[in-house]
Amino acid sequence: EPEVTQTPSHQVTQMGQEVILRCVPISNHLYFYWYRQILGQKVEFLVSFYNNEISEKSEIFDDQFSVERPDGSNFTLKIRSTKLEDSAMYFCASSGPGAEKLFFGSGTQLSVL
Amino acid sequence: GIQVEQSPPDLILQEGANSTLRCNFSDSVNNLQWFHQNPWGQLINLFYIPSGTKQNGRLSATTVATERYSLLYISSSQTTDSGVYFCAVEEGSTSYGKLTFGQGTILTVHP
């Protein structure tokens, strides 16, 4: 069964450093997302991406965050200057033409020290 | 924004028992999904169910959109059902996949 894959599974970085989280969505999907989950809390929407542009973003997704689809298969989330409070599990997701059922990757656990 | 409340917050069962998880939401939705987060943190999509009833093996779900709630039924529970169950909704008339998650129900199934 097709699945969303994320790399790396764990990322440790120093405060102020840039990180790039990578995702390969399901191949025929058209909508791509990033969500995050701070330890012990609920999952939060960050951004959705369709037709090579951001379609929705949350208040969390400020100027420090950016997304890109550099080629036909990858979807990336960049955090320009990480803060301690960016420590979380970051999930990539994708969905088909109707943006209905979302399929999530296994997540990247980001730890900012 | 829309509010999503799940109950109960915690549930402990013996293997073989049945359970019902509830999700209440504060506004009209066009998208409602149930997820299982397993002990390794992976989010598994169980149902896309903005209205009506669906069944998948031992699991079934019902959403009554007019009354703003959804139920997830787990029958003959197994230890592998343990984890956190999330309800997630999207308000409005058009679906973009911008889901608001509830706080989840932590399910523990003992052998």
PDB file of all heavy atoms in Angstrom, chain A residues 9-24:
ATOM      1  N   SER A   9      14.019  10.380  10.782  1.00  0.00           N
ATOM      2  CA  SER A   9      13.040  10.045  11.816  1.00  0.00           C
ATOM      3  C   SER A   9      13.311  10.862  13.081  1.00  0.00           C
ATOM      4  O   SER A   9      12.378  11.172  13.830  1.00  0.00           O
ATOM      5  CB  SER A   9      13.056   8.546  12.125  1.00  0.00           C
ATOM      6  OG  SER A   9      14.352   8.143  12.490  1.00  0.00           O
ATOM      7  N   HIS A  10      14.564  11.190  13.315  1.00  0.00           N
ATOM      8  CA  HIS A  10      14.949  12.029  14.449  1.00  0.00           C
ATOM      9  C   HIS A  10      15.949  13.073  13.977  1.00  0.00           C
ATOM     10  O   HIS A  10      16.819  12.788  13.153  1.00  0.00           O
ATOM     11  CB  HIS A  10      15.597  11.201  15.569  1.00  0.00           C
ATOM     12  CG  HIS A  10      14.667  10.249  16.223  1.00  0.00           C
ATOM     13  ND1 HIS A  10      14.401   9.001  15.717  1.00  0.00           N
ATOM     14  CD2 HIS A  10      13.917  10.355  17.358  1.00  0.00           C
ATOM     15  CE1 HIS A  10      13.549   8.383  16.509  1.00  0.00           C
ATOM     16  NE2 HIS A  10      13.237   9.165  17.509  1.00  0.00           N
ATOM     17  N   GLN A  11      15.811  14.281  14.518  1.00  0.00           N
ATOM     18  CA  GLN A  11      16.735  15.359  14.177  1.00  0.00           C
ATOM     19  C   GLN A  11      17.008  16.157  15.451  1.00  0.00           C
ATOM     20  O   GLN A  11      16.080  16.622  16.100  1.00  0.00           O
ATOM     21  CB  GLN A  11      16.113  16.271  13.118  1.00  0.00           C
ATOM     22  CG  GLN A  11      16.915  17.505  12.777  1.00  0.00           C
ATOM     23  CD  GLN A  11      17.908  17.281  11.665  1.00  0.00           C
ATOM     24  OE1 GLN A  11      17.542  16.749  10.628  1.00  0.00           O
ATOM     25  NE2 GLN A  11      19.140  17.677  11.890  1.00  0.00           N
ATOM     26  N   VAL A  12      18.290  16.268  15.773  1.00  0.00           N
ATOM     27  CA  VAL A  12      18.694  17.085  16.920  1.00  0.00           C
ATOM     28  C   VAL A  12      19.465  18.277  16.386  1.00  0.00           C
ATOM     29  O   VAL A  12      20.350  18.126  15.543  1.00  0.00           O
ATOM     30  CB  VAL A  12      19.566  16.268  17.900  1.00  0.00           C
ATOM     31  CG1 VAL A  12      19.972  17.144  19.091  1.00  0.00           C
ATOM     32  CG2 VAL A  12      18.827  15.034  18.378  1.00  0.00           C
ATOM     33  N   THR A  13      19.130  19.458  16.862  1.00  0.00           N
ATOM     34  CA  THR A  13      19.792  20.656  16.370  1.00  0.00           C
ATOM     35  C   THR A  13      19.996  21.649  17.504  1.00  0.00           C
ATOM     36  O   THR A  13      19.355  21.553  18.555  1.00  0.00           O
ATOM     37  CB  THR A  13      18.975  21.299  15.234  1.00  0.00           C
ATOM     38  OG1 THR A  13      19.742  22.333  14.621  1.00  0.00           O
ATOM     39  CG2 THR A  13      17.686  21.906  15.760  1.00  0.00           C
ATOM     40  N   GLN A  14      20.884  22.577  17.275  1.00  0.00           N
ATOM     41  CA  GLN A  14      21.121  23.645  18.243  1.00  0.00           C
ATOM     42  C   GLN A  14      20.196  24.814  17.936  1.00  0.00           C
ATOM     43  O   GLN A  14      19.884  25.107  16.767  1.00  0.00           O
ATOM     44  CB  GLN A  14      22.578  24.123  18.156  1.00  0.00           C
ATOM     45  CG  GLN A  14      23.598  23.081  18.563  1.00  0.00           C
ATOM     46  CD  GLN A  14      23.540  22.785  20.049  1.00  0.00           C
ATOM     47  OE1 GLN A  14      23.305  23.667  20.866  1.00  0.00           O
ATOM     48  NE2 GLN A  14      23.747  21.520  20.403  1.00  0.00           N
ATOM     49  N   MET A  15      19.752  25.494  18.984  1.00  0.00           N
ATOM     50  CA  MET A  15      18.918  26.676  18.829  1.00  0.00           C
ATOM     51  C   MET A  15      19.578  27.663  17.858  1.00  0.00           C
ATOM     52  O   MET A  15      20.802  27.878  17.920  1.00  0.00           O
ATOM     53  CB  MET A  15      18.750  27.335  20.205  1.00  0.00           C
ATOM     54  CG  MET A  15      17.710  28.402  20.277  1.00  0.00           C
ATOM     55  SD  MET A  15      17.377  28.854  21.995  1.00  0.00           S
ATOM     56  CE  MET A  15      18.987  29.321  22.582  1.00  0.00           C
ATOM     57  N   GLY A  16      18.782  28.209  16.952  1.00  0.00           N
ATOM     58  CA  GLY A  16      19.304  29.160  15.984  1.00  0.00           C
ATOM     59  C   GLY A  16      19.729  28.551  14.660  1.00  0.00           C
ATOM     60  O   GLY A  16      19.949  29.276  13.682  1.00  0.00           O
ATOM     61  N   GLN A  17      19.841  27.229  14.627  1.00  0.00           N
ATOM     62  CA  GLN A  17      20.233  26.553  13.396  1.00  0.00           C
ATOM     63  C   GLN A  17      19.028  26.349  12.480  1.00  0.00           C
ATOM     64  O   GLN A  17      17.878  26.302  12.923  1.00  0.00           O
ATOM     65  CB  GLN A  17      20.866  25.196  13.706  1.00  0.00           C
ATOM     66  CG  GLN A  17      22.185  25.294  14.461  1.00  0.00           C
ATOM     67  CD  GLN A  17      23.248  25.996  13.639  1.00  0.00           C
ATOM     68  OE1 GLN A  17      23.570  25.570  12.538  1.00  0.00           O
ATOM     69  NE2 GLN A  17      23.792  27.076  14.174  1.00  0.00           N
ATOM     70  N   GLU A  18      19.312  26.187  11.204  1.00  0.00           N
ATOM     71  CA  GLU A  18      18.275  25.876  10.216  1.00  0.00           C
ATOM     72  C   GLU A  18      18.115  24.368  10.095  1.00  0.00           C
ATOM     73  O   GLU A  18      19.109  23.636  10.153  1.00  0.00           O
ATOM     74  CB  GLU A  18      18.691  26.458   8.861  1.00  0.00           C
ATOM     75  CG  GLU A  18      17.769  26.089   7.704  1.00  0.00           C
ATOM     76  CD  GLU A  18      18.290  26.610   6.385  1.00  0.00           C
ATOM     77  OE1 GLU A  18      18.212  27.836   6.164  1.00  0.00           O
ATOM     78  OE2 GLU A  18      18.756  25.780   5.558  1.00  0.00           O
ATOM     79  N   VAL A  19      16.881  23.929   9.963  1.00  0.00           N
ATOM     80  CA  VAL A  19      16.633  22.509   9.711  1.00  0.00           C
ATOM     81  C   VAL A  19      15.702  22.369   8.520  1.00  0.00           C
ATOM     82  O   VAL A  19      14.856  23.238   8.270  1.00  0.00           O
ATOM     83  CB  VAL A  19      16.027  21.769  10.923  1.00  0.00           C
ATOM     84  CG1 VAL A  19      17.003  21.733  12.077  1.00  0.00           C
ATOM     85  CG2 VAL A  19      14.705  22.362  11.330  1.00  0.00           C
ATOM     86  N   ILE A  20      15.865  21.274   7.802  1.00  0.00           N
ATOM     87  CA  ILE A  20      14.969  20.934   6.698  1.00  0.00           C
ATOM     88  C   ILE A  20      14.446  19.528   6.937  1.00  0.00           C
ATOM     89  O   ILE A  20      15.228  18.588   7.073  1.00  0.00           O
ATOM     90  CB  ILE A  20      15.686  21.007   5.334  1.00  0.00           C
ATOM     91  CG1 ILE A  20      16.158  22.439   5.066  1.00  0.00           C
ATOM     92  CG2 ILE A  20      14.751  20.553   4.215  1.00  0.00           C
ATOM     93  CD1 ILE A  20      16.957  22.590   3.789  1.00  0.00           C
ATOM     94  N   LEU A  21      13.146  19.428   7.006  1.00  0.00           N
ATOM     95  CA  LEU A  21      12.492  18.138   7.171  1.00  0.00           C
ATOM     96  C   LEU A  21      11.940  17.729   5.801  1.00  0.00           C
ATOM     97  O   LEU A  21      11.346  18.549   5.100  1.00  0.00           O
ATOM     98  CB  LEU A  21      11.360  18.235   8.202  1.00  0.00           C
ATOM     99  CG  LEU A  21      11.741  18.868   9.544  1.00  0.00           C
ATOM    100  CD1 LEU A  21      10.546  18.834  10.496  1.00  0.00           C
ATOM    101  CD2 LEU A  21      12.955  18.225  10.157  1.00  0.00           C
ATOM    102  N   ARG A  22      12.122  16.452   5.472  1.00  0.00           N
ATOM    103  CA  ARG A  22      11.793  15.997   4.128  1.00  0.00           C
ATOM    104  C   ARG A  22      10.671  14.974   4.135  1.00  0.00           C
ATOM    105  O   ARG A  22      10.552  14.168   5.065  1.00  0.00           O
ATOM    106  CB  ARG A  22      13.034  15.403   3.468  1.00  0.00           C
ATOM    107  CG  ARG A  22      14.189  16.382   3.417  1.00  0.00           C
ATOM    108  CD  ARG A  22      15.423  15.833   2.739  1.00  0.00           C
ATOM    109  NE  ARG A  22      16.542  16.738   2.958  1.00  0.00           N
ATOM    110  CZ  ARG A  22      16.782  17.829   2.244  1.00  0.00           C
ATOM    111  NH1 ARG A  22      15.966  18.151   1.251  1.00  0.00           N
ATOM    112  NH2 ARG A  22      17.817  18.598   2.504  1.00  0.00           N
ATOM    113  N   CYS A  23       9.914  14.993   3.056  1.00  0.00           N
ATOM    114  CA  CYS A  23       8.748  14.126   2.933  1.00  0.00           C
ATOM    115  C   CYS A  23       8.586  13.720   1.481  1.00  0.00           C
ATOM    116  O   CYS A  23       8.842  14.523   0.570  1.00  0.00           O
ATOM    117  CB  CYS A  23       7.513  14.896   3.418  1.00  0.00           C
ATOM    118  SG  CYS A  23       5.928  14.139   3.074  1.00  0.00           S
ATOM    119  N   VAL A  24       8.180  12.473   1.277  1.00  0.00           N
ATOM    120  CA  VAL A  24       7.766  12.036  -0.048  1.00  0.00           C
ATOM    121  C   VAL A  24       6.302  11.632   0.064  1.00  0.00           C
ATOM    122  O   VAL A  24       5.981  10.593   0.649  1.00  0.00           O
ATOM    123  CB  VAL A  24       8.605  10.851  -0.561  1.00  0.00           C
ATOM    124  CG1 VAL A  24       8.101  10.413  -1.935  1.00  0.00           C
ATOM    125  CG2 VAL A  24      10.070  11.236  -0.627  1.00  0.00           C
TER     126      VAL A  24
END
